[in-house]
Amino acid sequence: MSPSSAGPAQLVVPVHVRDLTPADLPGCAWSGSPAHLVQVARELERAAAGEVDYLAVCTPVGLPEAIGGVDYQVAAGSGTLWQLAVAPALQSCGLGTVLIRAAEDRIRSRGLRRAELGVEESNPRARALYERLGYEAYGSRPDAWDVEAPDGSLRRYETMCTLMRKDVS
């Protein structure tokens, strides 16, 4: 059988999860605008203070291909997952699942029993992932944040989020 008739090739690459560092930020431009990366840098300062964990799923050469945080200050007894992102070219390859499971491990390691998150109602793919991983909707709320336009100006982005949670004990 010739390579062209063998169908698509499959490549398996091992990944590992570690804490995101400031040195990683230039390689995370895929996750958002320069203003977003400034915000992530501020969250890394909070990570150094123990208020949050900010994780990276990395290739064998150490490049982050999925990132996201767990905030321990939002809801008592819970870790709140936020800013979850997977490099666009690698979405639907399992990296989001690896990231979320690692975040849940961090929540458990702090003796907490619940993981929470909000997912934009306009993002059914992400919601389907969370549901596959055992998250259940329990409400909704509006949310908003600043986004950077190509000219560098900021505008307020407003959305409605479905609130989801899971027992991780």
Side-chain angles (χ1 to χ4, degrees):
M1 184 181 287
S2 70
S4 62
S5 64
Q10 184 176 11
L11 177 66
V12 177
V13 176
V15 296
H16 66 280
V17 179
R18 62 171 172 78
D19 292 324
L20 188 72
T21 69
D24 293 320
L25 294 180
C28 294
W30 54 263
S31 72
S33 68
H36 168 73
L37 293 177
V38 168
Q39 175 63 32
V40 174
R42 283 195 291 267
E43 297 303 334
L44 293 179
E45 292 173 11
R46 292 183 62 215
E51 297 174 4
V52 304
D53 283 317
Y54 214 104
L55 306 175
V57 179
C58 299
T59 63
V61 295
L63 296 175
E65 299 294 352
I67 61 173
V70 182
D71 194 324
Y72 302 103
Q73 307 295 306
V74 175
S78 296
T80 301
L81 284 64
W82 97 116
Q83 294 185 346
L84 304 174
V86 176
L90 296 173
Q91 290 178 356
S92 298
C93 293
L95 296 179
T97 297
V98 170
L99 177 62
I100 292 166
R101 288 185 174 151
E104 292 169 353
D105 288 344
R106 293 287 182 101
I107 292 167
R108 274 189 293 277
S109 74
R110 288 186 178 231
L112 302 174
R113 302 176 60 119
R114 190 173 59 237
E116 298 187 359
L117 57 84
V119 59
E120 287 185 78
E121 290 182 355
S122 62
N123 193 349
R125 276 183 72 200
R127 180 172 175 165
L129 169 64
Y130 304 140
E131 288 173 341
R132 275 194 310 275
L133 295 175
Y135 286 79
E136 296 179 353
Y138 68 92
S140 63
R141 69 169 165 76
D143 202 352
W145 54 86
D146 291 332
V147 295
E148 187 172 3
D151 67 1
S153 65
L154 296 178
R155 69 173 179 82
R156 196 73 175 160
Y157 174 78
E158 297 181 1
T159 189
M160 184 63 74
C161 289
T162 298
L163 303 175
M164 303 183 82
R165 64 182 163 217
K166 174 183 176 180
D167 181 358
V168 296
S169 58

